[in-house]
Amino acid sequence: MERPRRLAEHRHPIYAAGVVATTVRLILATSTSEPRTLLARARHGQPELVGALTDFFRTHGFLDPPPGLADGRAAARRARHIEAAPAPLHSLVTRFAGFLLLQREQARQLGLRPNQLKTIEIRLDAVRDLAVHLYAEGHTSWAGVTTAHLESFLALAPARRASRLAGLRQFFAYVHRAKAVLHNPADPVAAVQQRGFHGPTLTMAQQRTLYRRWAASRDIQPHEAFIGLAALLHAATVTELRLLTDSGINFHHQSVQFPGKSAALPLDNATWTALERCREHRRGLGSDNPHLLVTRLTRTHLSPAGAAHIRDSLACLGLRPCILRSTRLLTLAEELDIKVLTASLGMSSAGVAHYRPGTTPPASFT
């Protein structure tokens, strides 16, 4: 009886009755109630049941927790990058991808900061584009690649020169050690980069206007207020906001511990009030989802809201969360010691140094 009750609480009774009736027919047709068998049959005959059944079985311990969704999607993207490389140049691209993953795992085991999966994808993206470019010019082997070939490739997209060159340097260093090429053609190539942060930020007047909107008005959608204040005052990232759950909220100390952070972050009264409103909004949806930011799409599941929801919550203002966060990071980098900032925000020293005051002021957001 628990399943029909929960469905009726979360969705329209007619929908709940339809799901229960379809599930009963599935059990009778399958002649078993074993979770994996039911899910396998549902995927072929009743795909609309898969989400509800999966959440139900996982909630009650009948299925193991899902593997890392982000890791699985990253693996699929890497596979697409590798497959896009022309066949004659494909082998070394595959080996390079394996090397990057091994390097990431070794860094993790040694307690060092491993490369992010996104960084690995960017590196493979550069190598794939070079492979396509070389193959179009008639190259079927990496051994004949010269510095002039790399310069002609990098000239195709000057704005991406530094990013692409970082991937090509790592790739050719690897293939040179593997004795696939006699010399490293990327060694003489250079890329002049602007130092420091040069993206858009908010003026002090714009920050005050936004703060009054989110702190004083009860008519603002709760998610907009919390996302805005958390990013503007506490430099929260989109991922941290998405994955924040009740287990990371300390009601006694009025603080939160975002996923991946080693220390709890005390919240000001305005941000805490916005957090409480988000919890009220979730209760109004009748959801068991433990995440703070629950939408109408995720109220019947246990998964977090998508990154698009975080961005769309501020779309009415023409803002992106990254602009709010960058504004706060620039202020903190100017006021705090770099060691204090790395410890409090869990950033690397290089990441914090990116926001240190420079000679060129950042662009203003209008």
Side-chain angles (χ1 to χ4, degrees):
M1 291 299 293
E2 184 173 359
R3 177 190 167 102
R5 178 182 63 79
R6 292 183 62 195
L7 279 170
E9 289 175 356
H10 297 163
R11 303 294 289 267
H12 193 279
I14 294 177
Y15 170 85
V19 169
V20 173
T22 307
T23 302
V24 171
R25 287 195 294 269
L26 177 66
I27 293 174
L28 292 175
T30 310
S31 300
T32 181
S33 59
E34 200 278 322
R36 296 185 186 279
T37 304
L38 286 176
L39 284 173
R41 289 292 297 271
R43 289 189 184 96
H44 294 288
Q46 289 85 22
E48 70 277 5
L49 289 180
V50 173
L53 285 176
T54 301
D55 278 346
F56 177 81
F57 289 142
R58 284 174 180 162
T59 301
H60 292 80
F62 297 115
L63 285 178
D64 295 331
L69 184 60
D71 289 350
R73 289 177 175 173
R77 289 192 296 268
R78 287 195 302 273
R80 289 196 294 270
H81 286 311
I82 295 170
E83 290 301 321
L89 307 174
H90 185 277
S91 175
L92 278 180
V93 179
T94 303
R95 289 165 57 186
F96 178 58
F99 165 74
L100 292 177
L101 293 174
L102 177 62
Q103 190 180 55
R104 169 183 163 86
E105 183 59 31
Q106 289 174 339
R108 182 180 295 160
Q109 292 175 358
L110 293 172
L112 304 176
R113 190 178 183 88
N115 279 334
Q116 298 297 312
L117 293 174
K118 183 62 177 177
T119 302
I120 293 176
E121 291 175 31
I122 293 172
R123 300 289 183 262
L124 290 175
D125 180 74
V127 176
R128 175 207 60 195
D129 289 348
L130 175 62
V132 172
H133 173 75
L134 293 173
Y135 187 71
E137 292 188 343
H139 292 270
T140 57
S141 169
W142 291 104
V145 178
T146 66
T147 300
H149 294 136
L150 298 188
E151 287 287 6
S152 67
F153 167 70
L154 294 172
L156 297 176
R160 299 177 60 189
R161 180 183 179 90
S163 173
R164 282 180 160 179
L165 181 56
L168 299 184
R169 280 175 174 163
Q170 195 169 8
F171 172 72
F172 281 106
Y174 165 74
V175 296
H176 184 236
R177 288 194 301 271
K179 303 187 186 306
V181 297
L182 295 179
H183 73 288
N184 186 341
D187 271 345
V189 186
V192 179
Q193 290 181 272
Q194 285 186 318
R195 298 296 179 183
F197 178 79
H198 297 276
T201 58
L202 300 175
T203 65
M204 188 58 68
Q206 290 171 324
Q207 294 179 55
R208 291 194 184 100
T209 300
L210 290 172
Y211 179 82
R212 286 193 292 267
R213 170 185 173 88
W214 293 327
S217 177
R218 296 283 297 184
D219 297 329
I220 301 300
Q221 210 278 344
H223 289 189
E224 179 198 325
F226 178 73
I227 292 168
L229 290 170
L232 181 63
L233 302 182
H234 305 285
T237 67
V238 170
T239 300
E240 290 169 352
L241 293 168
R242 289 180 55 236
L243 301 183
L244 180 61
T245 63
D246 287 342
S247 62
I249 302 174
N250 189 317
F251 297 94
H252 179 69
H253 294 100
Q254 196 169 305
S255 64
V256 299
Q257 184 166 349
F258 287 114
K261 295 295 180 66
S262 58
L265 178 68
L267 296 184
D268 60 287
N269 290 335
T271 309
W272 184 258
T273 300
L275 182 148
E276 291 282 13
R277 290 186 60 215
C278 289
R279 298 185 71 243
E280 292 175 8
H281 176 74
R282 185 180 62 184
R283 284 194 292 269
L285 294 175
S287 176
D288 290 336
N289 192 320
H291 294 88
L292 177 67
L293 303 178
V294 176
T295 68
R296 297 184 69 86
L297 293 177
T298 64
R299 63 179 180 171
T300 60
H301 303 280
L302 302 179
S303 55
H309 173 70
I310 308 299
R311 295 190 294 266
D312 291 347
S313 295
L314 302 179
C316 60
L317 301 173
L319 279 174
R320 300 191 306 274
C322 62
I323 294 177
L324 301 176
R325 183 171 187 267
S326 297
T327 300
R328 184 57 177 162
L329 285 175
L330 284 172
T331 303
L332 293 175
E334 184 176 357
E335 296 177 349
L336 299 179
D337 179 80
I338 190 170
K339 292 182 179 179
V340 175
L341 195 53
T342 54
S344 59
L345 295 181
M347 297 175 64
S348 66
S349 297
V352 172
H354 182 64
Y355 291 93
R356 300 293 287 181
T359 56
T360 304
S364 176
F365 176 80
T366 55

